[in-house]
Amino acid sequence: MRWTRTFVWLLPVGAACCIAATAALSAPKKASPGLVPAELSSAWVKWNKQTCKFDTVPRGQHPKTWTAVPQKAPAGTLIGYGEQAENNPFATAVNDSIKRATAAAGAQVFAVNYQWPDTAQPVIQAQALVQKKPSVVISFNVIAATIPAVNALFNKVCTPVIQITQLAPNSVLFGASNQNAGQVAGQYLARYVKQKHWDPKKVTLVGPTVAGLGAINKRVTTCASTFKKLLPQTSYSEVNMGSSVTTGQQAMTDWLTAHPSGGSTTYLVSCTIADIWSIAVANAITSAGRAGNAAIIGQGASLDGVKAIRAGGPIVASTWFDAGRYGDYIVPLALDILKGQAVPLEVHQKLLIVDKANANKFYKGQ
């Protein structure tokens, strides 16, 4: 699939935060007028009420670009929202943004909690969502194996679906590009290793993957391939983190026991799926007494991840996903779908590296 409008915001190591990014440093109180995504898929679709499917719109019959423009919803619009969870800072920021943007549009919202990492709750909660007869559903379901059954419930009642993070058939996607996020992380870690003057032959990149999260693992695998291309003499070791941060921390602890410091594992770097996973990796590395020779990059730059960067431990950076404005992108996207307008099949927001140089500019006072 071809892509258009690639404007990924990156911050070089040690640079001051760019002026253009200051608007994204904290969740705004009001929806921003006209948010321009970083990247749109070349494929565009339109919701067909008769077939209950997204039809492909031929090239030349759709706009060249799309902007998330705040707008008022038609009377009676009910937006259904399946939350990933309610117990981690990133998910909470997304949840709050969806509800705030829905209220600003004058629509109603009914939210359910998929309770990640529970594998049974997504279907149970989707059934409750369907009973409310929403006009459109925003689904933050990241457990790949459950997505077909969950979305089949929405498709059966002819409700259009916007997926967050995980692309699925007969749906539109919004979220950070997993591949771009991985590439950004790999480039950052390679620069970090070079600036620290670590011998590449003594560096191992640990890739903590989570099988149940499907394509989201590209944040790790693309990071690893990017890093290895830039520093081919380094080593790579994948670690299966299980299904939760608890099992993940234990898996990392076991890996460290099996790979003591020395030789190719003198220095450890790691790119992770999200900040909650970077914290699990950092906890294991710190407990093993190896934090001084480690560098971890998270994804999302949620409050917990930024606090860890400020603290000066092994978590040295995270990629900002602008979670506090997800709703400002997704709600206009949902309303455009309901109006029968052509929209991009995939919409990805801007990315920004957060590290020690600019971490204090985020979540001020927190």
Side-chain angles (χ1 to χ4, degrees):
M1 180 182 293
R2 290 185 297 275
W3 297 90
T4 60
R5 302 184 66 82
T6 303
F7 302 107
V8 180
W9 285 2
L10 300 180
L11 189 71
V13 181
C17 185
C18 54
I19 294 174
T22 57
L25 297 185
S26 59
K29 298 297 183 182
K30 298 180 181 179
S32 300
L35 290 176
V36 179
E39 187 176 58
L40 306 176
S41 62
S42 60
W44 286 58
V45 294
K46 182 184 293 186
W47 179 247
N48 187 325
K49 294 181 180 179
Q50 281 67 49
T51 63
C52 304
K53 292 182 179 179
F54 282 101
D55 293 338
T56 300
V57 179
R59 190 181 307 174
Q61 297 182 26
H62 62 72
K64 293 182 179 179
T65 187
W66 179 85
T67 301
V69 178
Q71 55 191 284
K72 288 299 180 181
T77 299
L78 175 63
I79 294 179
Y81 175 43
E83 304 170 337
Q84 177 198 129
E86 295 179 348
N87 59 356
N88 73 70
F90 185 86
T92 299
V94 173
N95 298 347
D96 291 345
S97 78
I98 297 290
K99 294 168 186 176
R100 173 180 50 74
T102 300
Q108 299 295 312
V109 63
F110 181 78
V112 296
N113 180 7
Y114 289 150
Q115 300 178 40
W116 179 87
D118 193 302
T119 57
Q121 284 300 316
V123 169
I124 294 171
Q125 297 301 322
Q127 290 170 335
L129 198 53
V130 166
Q131 293 301 313
K132 294 295 182 177
K133 300 181 179 179
S135 309
V136 60
V137 166
I138 301 165
S139 187
F140 198 177
N141 184 9
V142 296
I143 302 177
T146 67
I147 291 175
V150 166
N151 285 14
L153 293 169
F154 304 139
N155 294 159
K156 185 176 180 181
V157 294
C158 205
T159 303
V161 180
I162 299 173
Q163 285 283 138
I164 298 179
T165 300
Q166 291 268 37
L167 183 63
N170 200 29
S171 66
V172 169
L173 174 72
F174 175 81
S177 164
N178 296 314
Q179 185 166 335
N180 284 353
Q183 185 177 17
V184 167
Q187 291 169 345
Y188 182 92
L189 284 179
R191 290 196 303 268
Y192 188 91
V193 167
K194 290 177 182 178
Q195 290 185 344
K196 295 290 286 185
H197 302 292
W198 290 348
D199 182 351
K201 294 188 294 296
K202 296 182 178 181
V203 175
T204 291
L205 187 147
V206 179
T209 57
V210 184
L213 298 184
I216 301 176
N217 285 292
K218 288 182 180 179
R219 298 177 189 174
V220 173
T221 56
T222 302
C223 171
S225 61
T226 301
F227 180 81
K228 283 285 291 178
K229 185 176 181 179
L230 294 170
L231 294 173
Q233 291 182 305
T234 58
S235 300
Y236 174 66
S237 182
E238 186 171 307
V239 176
N240 182 349
M241 300 288 275
S243 60
S244 71
V245 292
T246 301
T247 60
Q249 184 169 327
Q250 185 58 55
M252 189 64 202
T253 298
D254 294 343
W255 185 92
L256 290 164
T257 301
H259 299 82
S261 180
S264 64
T265 56
T266 300
Y267 304 103
L268 302 177
V269 296
S270 181
C271 38
T272 59
I273 284 176
D275 289 329
I276 57 174
W277 297 99
S278 70
I279 291 171
V281 172
N283 287 343
I285 288 176
T286 301
S287 295
R290 297 168 71 173
N293 288 330
I296 304 164
I297 184 168
Q299 295 282 2
S302 50
L303 179 58
D304 52 347
V306 174
K307 283 184 175 180
I309 294 167
R310 291 176 188 158
I315 299 177
V316 297
S318 185
T319 306
W320 173 255
F321 287 179
D322 207 1
R325 292 200 296 190
Y326 266 46
D328 298 326
Y329 287 98
I330 299 175
V331 171
L333 182 62
L335 297 179
D336 283 351
I337 290 170
L338 292 177
K339 287 190 296 186
Q341 294 183 357
V343 298
L345 179 63
E346 299 184 36
V347 178
H348 301 297
Q349 75 275 38
K350 297 176 175 71
L351 303 178
L352 173 71
I353 286 290
V354 179
D355 63 5
K356 190 175 181 180
N358 64 343
N360 287 333
K361 296 179 181 291
F362 294 77
Y363 307 104
K364 291 183 178 179
Q366 297 185 65

CSV table of all heavy atoms in Angstrom, one decimal, residues 49-78:
chain,number,residue,atom,x,y,z
A,49,LYS,N,-24.2,1.9,3.6
A,49,LYS,CA,-25.2,1.5,4.5
A,49,LYS,C,-26.0,0.3,4.0
A,49,LYS,O,-26.6,-0.4,4.8
A,49,LYS,CB,-26.2,2.7,4.7
A,49,LYS,CG,-25.5,3.9,5.5
A,49,LYS,CD,-26.6,5.0,5.7
A,49,LYS,CE,-25.9,6.2,6.4
A,49,LYS,NZ,-26.9,7.3,6.6
A,50,GLN,N,-26.0,0.2,2.7
A,50,GLN,CA,-26.8,-0.9,2.1
A,50,GLN,C,-26.1,-2.3,2.3
A,50,GLN,O,-26.7,-3.3,2.6
A,50,GLN,CB,-27.1,-0.7,0.6
A,50,GLN,CG,-28.3,0.3,0.4
A,50,GLN,CD,-27.9,1.7,0.8
A,50,GLN,OE1,-26.9,2.2,0.5
A,50,GLN,NE2,-28.8,2.3,1.5
A,51,THR,N,-24.8,-2.3,2.1
A,51,THR,CA,-24.0,-3.5,2.2
A,51,THR,C,-23.4,-3.7,3.6
A,51,THR,O,-22.8,-4.8,3.9
A,51,THR,CB,-22.9,-3.6,1.1
A,51,THR,OG1,-22.0,-2.5,1.3
A,51,THR,CG2,-23.6,-3.5,-0.3
A,52,CYS,N,-23.4,-2.6,4.3
A,52,CYS,CA,-22.7,-2.6,5.7
A,52,CYS,C,-21.2,-2.9,5.6
A,52,CYS,O,-20.6,-3.6,6.4
A,52,CYS,CB,-23.4,-3.6,6.6
A,52,CYS,SG,-25.2,-3.4,6.8
A,53,LYS,N,-20.6,-2.3,4.5
A,53,LYS,CA,-19.2,-2.5,4.3
A,53,LYS,C,-18.6,-1.2,3.9
A,53,LYS,O,-19.3,-0.3,3.3
A,53,LYS,CB,-19.0,-3.6,3.2
A,53,LYS,CG,-19.3,-5.0,3.6
A,53,LYS,CD,-19.0,-6.0,2.5
A,53,LYS,CE,-19.4,-7.4,2.9
A,53,LYS,NZ,-19.1,-8.4,1.8
A,54,PHE,N,-17.3,-1.1,4.1
A,54,PHE,CA,-16.5,0.0,3.6
A,54,PHE,C,-16.1,-0.3,2.1
A,54,PHE,O,-15.4,-1.3,1.9
A,54,PHE,CB,-15.2,0.3,4.4
A,54,PHE,CG,-15.5,1.0,5.7
A,54,PHE,CD1,-15.5,0.3,6.9
A,54,PHE,CD2,-15.7,2.4,5.7
A,54,PHE,CE1,-15.7,1.0,8.1
A,54,PHE,CE2,-15.9,3.1,6.9
A,54,PHE,CZ,-16.0,2.4,8.1
A,55,ASP,N,-16.6,0.5,1.2
A,55,ASP,CA,-16.3,0.3,-0.2
A,55,ASP,C,-15.0,1.1,-0.6
A,55,ASP,O,-14.9,2.3,-0.1
A,55,ASP,CB,-17.4,0.8,-1.1
A,55,ASP,CG,-18.7,0.0,-1.0
A,55,ASP,OD1,-18.5,-1.2,-0.6
A,55,ASP,OD2,-19.8,0.5,-1.3
A,56,THR,N,-14.2,0.6,-1.4
A,56,THR,CA,-13.0,1.3,-1.9
A,56,THR,C,-13.4,2.4,-2.8
A,56,THR,O,-14.2,2.2,-3.7
A,56,THR,CB,-12.0,0.4,-2.6
A,56,THR,OG1,-11.6,-0.7,-1.7
A,56,THR,CG2,-10.8,1.1,-3.1
A,57,VAL,N,-12.8,3.6,-2.6
A,57,VAL,CA,-13.1,4.7,-3.5
A,57,VAL,C,-12.0,4.9,-4.5
A,57,VAL,O,-10.8,5.0,-4.1
A,57,VAL,CB,-13.2,6.0,-2.7
A,57,VAL,CG1,-13.5,7.2,-3.6
A,57,VAL,CG2,-14.3,5.9,-1.6
A,58,PRO,N,-12.3,4.8,-5.8
A,58,PRO,CA,-11.3,4.9,-6.8
A,58,PRO,C,-10.5,6.1,-6.7
A,58,PRO,O,-11.0,7.2,-6.3
A,58,PRO,CB,-12.1,4.8,-8.1
A,58,PRO,CG,-13.4,4.1,-7.8
A,58,PRO,CD,-13.7,4.6,-6.4
A,59,ARG,N,-9.2,6.0,-7.1
A,59,ARG,CA,-8.3,7.2,-7.2
A,59,ARG,C,-8.9,8.3,-8.1
A,59,ARG,O,-9.5,7.9,-9.2
A,59,ARG,CB,-7.0,6.8,-7.7
A,59,ARG,CG,-5.9,7.9,-7.5
A,59,ARG,CD,-4.6,7.4,-8.1
A,59,ARG,NE,-4.2,6.2,-7.4
A,59,ARG,CZ,-3.1,5.5,-7.8
A,59,ARG,NH1,-2.3,5.9,-8.8
A,59,ARG,NH2,-2.8,4.4,-7.2
A,60,GLY,N,-8.9,9.5,-7.7
A,60,GLY,CA,-9.5,10.6,-8.5
A,60,GLY,C,-10.9,10.9,-8.1
A,60,GLY,O,-11.4,11.9,-8.5
A,61,GLN,N,-11.5,10.0,-7.3
A,61,GLN,CA,-12.8,10.3,-6.8
A,61,GLN,C,-12.9,10.6,-5.3
A,61,GLN,O,-13.9,10.5,-4.7
A,61,GLN,CB,-13.7,9.1,-7.1
A,61,GLN,CG,-13.9,8.8,-8.6
A,61,GLN,CD,-14.8,7.7,-8.9
A,61,GLN,OE1,-15.7,7.3,-8.1
A,61,GLN,NE2,-14.6,7.0,-10.1
A,62,HIS,N,-11.7,10.9,-4.7
A,62,HIS,CA,-11.7,11.2,-3.3
A,62,HIS,C,-10.7,12.4,-3.2
A,62,HIS,O,-9.9,12.6,-4.0
A,62,HIS,CB,-11.3,10.0,-2.4
A,62,HIS,CG,-9.9,9.5,-2.7
A,62,HIS,ND1,-8.7,10.2,-2.4
A,62,HIS,CD2,-9.5,8.3,-3.3
A,62,HIS,CE1,-7.7,9.4,-2.8
A,62,HIS,NE2,-8.1,8.3,-3.4
A,63,PRO,N,-10.8,13.1,-2.1
A,63,PRO,CA,-9.8,14.2,-1.9
A,63,PRO,C,-8.4,13.7,-1.8
A,63,PRO,O,-8.1,12.5,-1.6
A,63,PRO,CB,-10.3,14.8,-0.5
A,63,PRO,CG,-11.7,14.4,-0.3
A,63,PRO,CD,-11.8,13.0,-1.0
A,64,LYS,N,-7.4,14.6,-2.0
A,64,LYS,CA,-6.0,14.3,-1.9
A,64,LYS,C,-5.5,14.2,-0.5
A,64,LYS,O,-4.5,13.6,-0.2
A,64,LYS,CB,-5.2,15.3,-2.7
A,64,LYS,CG,-5.4,15.2,-4.2
A,64,LYS,CD,-4.5,16.2,-4.9
A,64,LYS,CE,-4.8,16.1,-6.4
A,64,LYS,NZ,-3.9,17.1,-7.2
A,65,THR,N,-6.3,14.8,0.4
A,65,THR,CA,-5.8,14.8,1.8
A,65,THR,C,-7.0,14.8,2.7
A,65,THR,O,-8.2,15.0,2.3
A,65,THR,CB,-5.0,16.1,2.1
A,65,THR,OG1,-4.4,16.0,3.4
A,65,THR,CG2,-5.8,17.4,2.0
A,66,TRP,N,-6.8,14.7,4.0
A,66,TRP,CA,-7.9,14.7,5.0
A,66,TRP,C,-7.3,15.4,6.3
A,66,TRP,O,-6.2,15.1,6.7
A,66,TRP,CB,-8.3,13.2,5.4
A,66,TRP,CG,-9.4,13.2,6.4
A,66,TRP,CD1,-10.7,13.3,6.2
A,66,TRP,CD2,-9.2,13.0,7.8
A,66,TRP,NE1,-11.4,13.2,7.4
A,66,TRP,CE2,-10.5,13.0,8.4
A,66,TRP,CE3,-8.1,12.9,8.7
A,66,TRP,CZ2,-10.7,12.9,9.8
A,66,TRP,CZ3,-8.3,12.7,10.0
A,66,TRP,CH2,-9.6,12.8,10.6
A,67,THR,N,-8.2,16.2,6.8
A,67,THR,CA,-7.9,16.9,8.1
A,67,THR,C,-9.0,16.7,9.1
A,67,THR,O,-10.1,16.6,8.8
A,67,THR,CB,-7.7,18.4,7.8
A,67,THR,OG1,-6.7,18.7,6.9
A,67,THR,CG2,-7.4,19.2,9.1
A,68,ALA,N,-8.6,16.5,10.3
A,68,ALA,CA,-9.5,16.2,11.4
A,68,ALA,C,-10.1,17.6,11.8
A,68,ALA,O,-9.5,18.3,12.6
A,68,ALA,CB,-8.9,15.5,12.6
A,69,VAL,N,-11.3,17.9,11.3
A,69,VAL,CA,-11.9,19.2,11.6
A,69,VAL,C,-13.0,19.1,12.6
A,69,VAL,O,-13.9,18.3,12.4
A,69,VAL,CB,-12.5,19.8,10.3
A,69,VAL,CG1,-13.1,21.2,10.6
A,69,VAL,CG2,-11.4,20.0,9.2
A,70,PRO,N,-12.9,19.8,13.7
A,70,PRO,CA,-14.0,19.7,14.7
A,70,PRO,C,-15.3,20.1,14.1
A,70,PRO,O,-15.4,21.0,13.3
A,70,PRO,CB,-13.6,20.8,15.8
A,70,PRO,CG,-12.1,20.9,15.6
A,70,PRO,CD,-11.9,20.7,14.1
A,71,GLN,N,-16.4,19.4,14.4
A,71,GLN,CA,-17.7,19.6,13.8
A,71,GLN,C,-18.8,19.1,14.8
A,71,GLN,O,-18.5,18.3,15.7
A,71,GLN,CB,-17.8,18.8,12.5
A,71,GLN,CG,-17.5,17.3,12.6
A,71,GLN,CD,-17.4,16.6,11.3
A,71,GLN,OE1,-18.3,16.4,10.6
A,71,GLN,NE2,-16.1,16.3,10.9
A,72,LYS,N,-20.0,19.6,14.5
A,72,LYS,CA,-21.1,19.1,15.4
A,72,LYS,C,-21.7,17.9,14.8
A,72,LYS,O,-21.9,17.8,13.6
A,72,LYS,CB,-22.2,20.3,15.5
A,72,LYS,CG,-21.7,21.4,16.3
A,72,LYS,CD,-21.4,21.0,17.8
A,72,LYS,CE,-20.9,22.2,18.6
A,72,LYS,NZ,-20.6,21.8,20.0
A,73,ALA,N,-22.1,17.0,15.7
A,73,ALA,CA,-22.7,15.7,15.3
A,73,ALA,C,-24.2,15.9,15.1
A,73,ALA,O,-24.8,16.7,15.7
A,73,ALA,CB,-22.5,14.6,16.3
A,74,PRO,N,-24.8,15.2,14.1
A,74,PRO,CA,-26.2,15.2,14.0
A,74,PRO,C,-26.9,14.8,15.3
A,74,PRO,O,-26.4,14.0,16.1
A,74,PRO,CB,-26.5,14.2,12.9
A,74,PRO,CG,-25.2,14.0,12.2
A,74,PRO,CD,-24.1,14.2,13.2
A,75,ALA,N,-28.1,15.4,15.5
A,75,ALA,CA,-28.9,15.0,16.7
A,75,ALA,C,-29.1,13.5,16.8
A,75,ALA,O,-29.4,12.9,15.8
A,75,ALA,CB,-30.2,15.7,16.7
A,76,GLY,N,-28.9,13.0,18.0
A,76,GLY,CA,-29.1,11.6,18.2
A,76,GLY,C,-27.9,10.7,18.0
A,76,GLY,O,-28.0,9.5,18.1
A,77,THR,N,-26.8,11.3,17.6
A,77,THR,CA,-25.6,10.5,17.3
A,77,THR,C,-25.0,9.9,18.6
A,77,THR,O,-24.8,10.6,19.6
A,77,THR,CB,-24.4,11.4,16.7
A,77,THR,OG1,-24.9,11.9,15.5
A,77,THR,CG2,-23.2,10.5,16.5
A,78,LEU,N,-24.8,8.6,18.6
A,78,LEU,CA,-24.3,7.9,19.8
A,78,LEU,C,-23.0,7.2,19.3
A,78,LEU,O,-23.0,6.4,18.4
A,78,LEU,CB,-25.2,6.8,20.3
A,78,LEU,CG,-24.7,5.9,21.4
A,78,LEU,CD1,-24.3,6.7,22.7
A,78,LEU,CD2,-25.7,4.8,21.8
